[in-house]
Amino acid sequence: MNLTNQQLVFVTGKGGVGKSVAAASIAWSEARKGKRVCLVELGSQSFYESFFEIRGIAYDPSELVPDVHIALFTPEDCLKEYVLHYVKVKQLYEIFFQNKVMRAFLNAAPALAELSILGKLTGALRGIIKSDYDLFVVDCFSTGHALALFRAPFGLSTVFKSGPLYEQSRDISKILTDPQLTHYVLVTLAEEMPVVETGELISQMRSELKCEPTLICNKLLNPPLTLDQRNQLSLAENDVTMKKFLDYLAFKEKSQNMQLQAIKGFAHSFYGVPIILNATSGQDYVEQFAKGLEKLYGI
Amino acid sequence: MGFDELLKSKKVLICCGSGGVGKTTLSAALGVRAAELGLKVLVLTIDPAKRLATSLGLDQLGDEQRQIGQGRFVGELYASMLDMKKTFDDFIIRLAPSPAIAERVLKNNVYQQVSTALNGSQEYTSLEKLLQIMAQKKFDIVILDTPPTKHAIDFLHAPIKIHTLFQDSIIKWFLMPFTTLDKMSLGLMNRGTKLAFKAFEKLAGSEFLSNLTEFFASIREWQKALRDRTAEVHRLLTSNSTGFVLVTGFNSVKIEEARFFERTLKKGGYYLSAIIINRAFPLWEQSEIGVGELIDDKKDSLGENYRLITEYYRSMQKFYRSQQTAFKNFAGEVRQNVIFALLPDFDQDIHDVDSLKQVADRLVEEFKEQKTL
């Protein structure tokens, strides 16, 4: 994948398409190019802990492999750091969070958690915090929720008309819409529903974020023989299972090609990643995946 | 118990699961089966991506209940999509003590920005809609397809956030300094609350805070109504005529999630009825061992290409079999009265009533097979 100098990459897509693995692979390949990368997952539970079979992924980044650090940004942690940044006094922020009412409000308040996550991610770009990393790769929420995250600062700058939250929302919006700083990656499968959803998402992102997302098509079937070669196999009469398997491959390939055609309707190119069947570990999976990010398919 | 008995014995089925596992398709398939059994069924979907609409081959599915495949079933199948904004507005209008107050809330800047964006409001609204539908007593069974969440359990936790927000104490808290706006009331607040409030004002700006206060002032009147409503939702969810169906994908991470979901439901007094593992294996790889074996003896005479494709077959088979082992271990852990079903990855896109019927048939059939596991 060809990232220039962007310092923030968001990876999103419909649930189950392999966003997290894609994000990890991007982090991997960028680290290979000599960047110091922080892979960030959002939410309250870590996916990477079970995937990489490691423990202790937390708000403060820890080393996964040299040059790739990993962190889990929970909304609570982001909000805390965020409030602390603005109220300055530590005791005050403790009062703030120990107050039952305030906590209930912060938990339900729309966009505040989102804003604090984005605040943390863009902190270095806004010159507010010092960063040890050249690049943040964010394993973002899935489609609908990701859009809500990206929209949060735009919505908030109309709700808050003044004050630090207003200024911050405005600054974050600028970073999210600056292609020199922020890049978006959408992961899809070559299946009807994910493709339709990706098409809708890409047009919304183009118009609202003024961006041109990179597309990754995951779990592509790549049989060792072409359809013609497979048809020329002379199978035994009772080789029922192989017949079924070949029918399956033929069907899957046909619908896959149809969906790749459909992608033409909204994208110029994509990275194709074959289905990975024999990964021996999370790291092995990521490295196999990263190979798929080396070649861009033009349409 | 199998799926047929489940559909006949429950009034509400709630399909939960993280995003991308095929919840909407399976909700629709269960709807088709219920209609085949002679029931009058409604499938209610919340998903903004309009996936059920695609599943049913309908381009646009609105807030109204549309009949699907009229005359095709012994029973009747209806589908409807939740209009969040409308449901929330209706809810406010109905609960408001007067039309003037309702209008004040609907016009409030904070309400307009937040009503559909509050964390948990999608879940809250879908349950509100479910209550409305249940009150109509129009259907034998309602199948609720829940919003896509990162984790299956989020659906149950989300409404609590909204409920807490509308609690009396928080409303009073926001009203205090602005309704009386004098030194007295600020003086009456305890020191901690006062400081927290000031910190919040500094962060959010005073205009936002006054909008927020106006919003809370408007809804202060209907505390009791809201509380009653929440209690009703809870009653419905824990009723023995309501069943939860967990739809999940097939890998070790998802199984861990299913395990957590099962435990949490049990603790909360909810009824877990079924766990459906979707797209667990391709159709050529049958779940029973023994089927799906290749004719090995001929492979040398068939040449290099046959060897290549056999290798590919074996790597795929190994991949799916290792997943099935993980599933069987999990199935062994869970209570006897939960239906388990493994569904294949169908060799086709599921987008019309016919293909949904195929999925439903397979569900019933798979269950029969797996009972003997």
Side-chain angles (χ1 to χ4, degrees):
Chain A
M1 189 165 299
N2 232 343
L3 291 172
T4 46
N5 283 318
Q6 291 98 347
Q7 292 166 50
L8 192 52
V9 174
F10 289 97
V11 183
T12 181
K14 187 168 152 43
V17 297
K19 285 185 293 297
S20 306
V21 180
S25 301
I26 292 169
W28 232 256
S29 30
E30 292 304 310
R32 286 259 160 84
K33 294 176 197 162
K35 289 182 195 166
R36 282 181 59 77
V37 185
C38 188
L39 174 62
V40 177
E41 51 182 332
L42 305 181
S44 41
Q45 267 175 289
S46 170
F47 161 82
Y48 292 125
E49 277 195 357
S50 53
F51 185 74
F52 288 118
E53 296 174 65
I54 50 171
R55 279 170 182 273
I57 296 181
Y59 189 59
D60 289 321
S62 52
E63 185 179 290
L64 184 60
V65 291
D67 288 332
V68 179
H69 287 203
I70 189 163
L72 171 70
F73 284 5
T74 68
E76 294 77 23
D77 285 331
C78 289
L79 259 175
K80 269 194 187 165
E81 181 172 337
Y82 180 69
V83 172
L84 185 58
H85 175 80
Y86 281 103
V87 299
K88 309 284 193 237
V89 189
K90 185 135 201 256
Q91 286 88 332
L92 195 59
Y93 114 94
E94 270 161 15
I95 288 165
F96 202 75
F97 275 94
Q98 275 155 19
N99 187 293
K100 204 178 82 189
V101 176
M102 192 43 96
R103 215 169 42 218
F105 179 75
L106 289 175
N107 273 334
L112 265 189
E114 277 88 352
L115 194 68
S116 68
I117 289 170
L118 292 173
K120 170 88 177 160
L121 287 167
T122 59
L125 286 169
R126 290 178 295 122
I128 287 178
I129 41 179
K130 214 180 134 279
S131 164
D132 298 330
Y133 304 101
D134 304 316
L135 176 69
F136 282 100
V137 180
V138 186
D139 173 21
C140 200
F141 306 116
S142 54
T143 318
H145 197 171
L147 210 50
L149 175 76
F150 303 141
R151 279 173 181 162
F154 298 91
L156 283 180
S157 56
T158 66
V159 175
F160 302 115
K161 308 252 158 99
S162 60
L165 281 188
Y166 165 74
E167 284 158 25
Q168 198 206 14
S169 312
R170 189 198 53 200
D171 293 349
I172 294 176
S173 310
K174 273 187 202 151
I175 290 173
L176 293 187
T177 48
D178 185 344
Q180 303 299 320
L181 299 175
T182 308
H183 191 61
Y184 300 87
V185 175
L186 300 184
V187 186
T188 185
L189 304 178
E191 289 172 18
E192 187 179 359
M193 288 199 199
V195 166
V196 169
E197 217 169 279
T198 304
E200 287 169 9
L201 183 63
I202 212 168
S203 68
Q204 275 165 322
M205 289 178 65
R206 276 181 185 140
S207 75
E208 292 178 31
L209 298 165
K210 319 271 174 266
C211 66
E212 188 49 53
T214 294
L215 206 60
I216 297 177
C217 198
N218 191 16
K219 297 187 189 169
L220 292 174
L221 219 52
N222 60 338
L225 305 178
T226 64
L227 182 64
D228 280 344
Q229 285 173 318
R230 297 197 306 262
N231 285 339
Q232 279 160 22
L233 290 169
S234 52
L235 299 181
E237 198 54 41
N238 58 348
D239 204 349
V240 185
T241 304
M242 183 52 84
K243 274 186 193 134
K244 268 192 184 172
F245 183 60
L246 294 181
D247 286 348
Y248 165 85
L249 290 182
F251 170 80
K252 282 279 164 177
E253 253 183 348
K254 194 176 149 210
S255 70
Q256 184 168 291
N257 290 336
M258 256 171 65
Q259 293 311 320
L260 294 178
Q261 284 294 317
I263 289 177
K264 265 193 197 178
F266 55 79
H268 307 294
S269 59
F270 66 92
Y271 290 96
V273 178
I275 183 168
I276 294 165
L277 299 168
N278 54 355
T280 52
S281 66
Q283 190 166 333
D284 183 36
Y285 198 116
V286 165
E287 279 169 7
Q288 290 195 36
F289 194 106
K291 281 189 203 128
L293 301 182
E294 285 164 10
K295 192 180 162 213
L296 189 65
Y297 293 85
I299 300 182
Chain B
M1 202 201 277
F3 280 103
D4 287 354
E5 289 78 11
L6 183 68
L7 289 165
K8 282 184 210 155
S9 66
K10 298 287 184 187
K11 289 200 175 74
V12 177
L13 279 185
I14 300 178
C15 293
C16 296
S18 54
V21 292
K23 240 180 341 212
T24 308
T25 308
L26 284 168
S27 305
L30 285 171
V32 165
R33 184 70 186 182
E36 283 189 315
L37 292 172
L39 298 169
K40 190 168 176 190
V41 54
L42 173 72
V43 179
L44 176 62
T45 183
I46 297 99
D47 204 355
K50 306 187 180 179
R51 275 183 238 154
L52 181 66
T54 320
S55 289
L56 292 172
L58 292 175
D59 287 337
Q60 211 71 38
L61 199 58
D63 182 45
E64 79 273 20
Q65 297 154 0
R66 289 230 328 235
Q67 190 169 0
I68 311 290
Q70 198 166 2
R72 284 197 53 171
F73 308 108
V74 186
E76 293 167 39
L77 172 64
Y78 291 81
S80 162
M81 196 162 75
L82 182 76
D83 181 337
M84 263 183 70
K85 178 98 184 89
K86 188 162 171 284
T87 308
F88 226 102
D89 289 354
D90 287 351
F91 181 50
I92 296 292
I93 292 165
R94 214 182 40 240
L95 286 185
S98 75
I101 291 180
E103 197 173 328
R104 206 164 80 211
V105 173
L106 297 181
K107 281 196 173 147
N108 182 282
N109 185 17
V110 171
Y111 173 79
Q112 286 178 357
Q113 290 290 330
V114 308
S115 64
T116 53
L118 277 174
N119 292 327
S121 66
Q122 231 183 7
E123 290 80 359
Y124 195 83
T125 327
S126 70
L127 289 170
E128 172 58 32
K129 187 79 193 177
L130 182 64
L131 272 187
Q132 284 176 25
I133 290 166
M134 295 310 287
Q136 294 169 359
K137 297 192 192 317
K138 221 176 120 186
F139 300 97
D140 298 315
I141 182 166
V142 178
I143 298 172
L144 178 69
D145 167 36
T146 61
T149 51
K150 186 164 182 200
H151 300 287
I153 202 70
D154 294 349
F155 178 73
L156 282 174
H157 290 158
I160 299 167
K161 289 185 183 164
I162 301 279
H163 179 60
T164 325
L165 183 63
F166 288 120
Q167 263 172 1
D168 211 26
S169 60
I170 188 169
I171 292 180
K172 275 199 193 124
W173 194 81
F174 273 102
L175 292 180
M176 226 175 342
F178 283 92
T179 43
T180 44
L181 250 188
D182 55 29
K183 279 176 190 152
M184 259 282 285
S185 75
L186 277 169
L188 285 172
M189 287 165 96
N190 69 48
R191 187 174 162 272
T193 304
K194 205 158 48 187
L195 283 173
F197 202 94
K198 283 219 164 128
F200 185 70
E201 184 178 7
K202 192 174 166 209
L203 270 180
S206 55
E207 191 172 341
F208 173 73
L209 209 53
S210 66
N211 263 321
L212 191 69
T213 306
E214 189 203 75
F215 172 64
F216 280 117
S218 315
I219 65 167
R220 146 178 73 167
E221 305 291 328
W222 57 67
Q223 276 315 291
K224 193 185 169 307
L226 267 168
R227 261 200 306 276
D228 292 351
R229 207 62 184 161
T230 311
E232 259 180 87
V233 167
H234 189 254
R235 248 198 317 278
L236 178 68
L237 291 185
T238 50
S239 151
N240 63 4
S241 62
T242 298
F244 285 81
V245 176
L246 175 66
V247 183
T248 183
F250 208 70
N251 58 52
S252 53
V253 175
K254 294 273 188 219
I255 285 183
E256 204 42 60
E257 179 188 86
R259 198 171 271 139
F260 181 67
F261 186 79
E262 194 257 343
R263 253 183 277 143
T264 314
L265 277 192
K266 207 183 203 170
K267 251 199 323 221
Y270 305 98
Y271 292 86
L272 177 63
S273 299
I275 297 181
I276 301 174
I277 317 268
N278 198 16
R279 306 173 84 174
F281 55 92
L283 278 173
W284 50 265
E285 163 57 355
Q286 295 302 318
S287 50
E288 312 107 89
I289 307 299
V291 184
E293 290 305 323
L294 291 174
I295 312 291
D296 252 358
D297 49 351
K298 282 214 169 181
K299 71 171 183 250
D300 292 337
S301 59
L302 287 172
E304 176 64 8
N305 278 355
Y306 191 77
R307 195 189 60 75
L308 278 173
I309 201 77
T310 306
E311 227 167 64
Y312 194 60
Y313 171 89
R314 294 235 184 273
S315 63
M316 283 190 102
Q317 187 189 43
K318 196 173 149 214
F319 175 72
Y320 284 107
R321 288 242 163 121
S322 72
Q323 291 187 325
Q324 282 180 36
T325 311
F327 159 74
K328 280 173 191 163
N329 293 341
F330 173 52
E333 288 169 29
V334 177
R335 295 181 292 182
Q336 288 290 304
N337 52 350
V338 176
I339 301 176
F340 258 109
L342 268 169
L343 274 186
D345 182 3
F346 288 94
D347 285 4
Q348 64 184 86
D349 290 314
I350 313 293
H351 54 71
D352 56 11
V353 174
D354 284 326
S355 47
L356 284 171
K357 192 172 139 28
Q358 257 185 298
V359 176
D361 289 349
R362 190 75 193 207
L363 257 186
V364 177
E365 197 185 303
E366 279 298 318
F367 172 66
K368 278 182 198 145
E369 276 177 26
Q370 270 140 37
K371 256 196 316 200
T372 59
L373 260 179

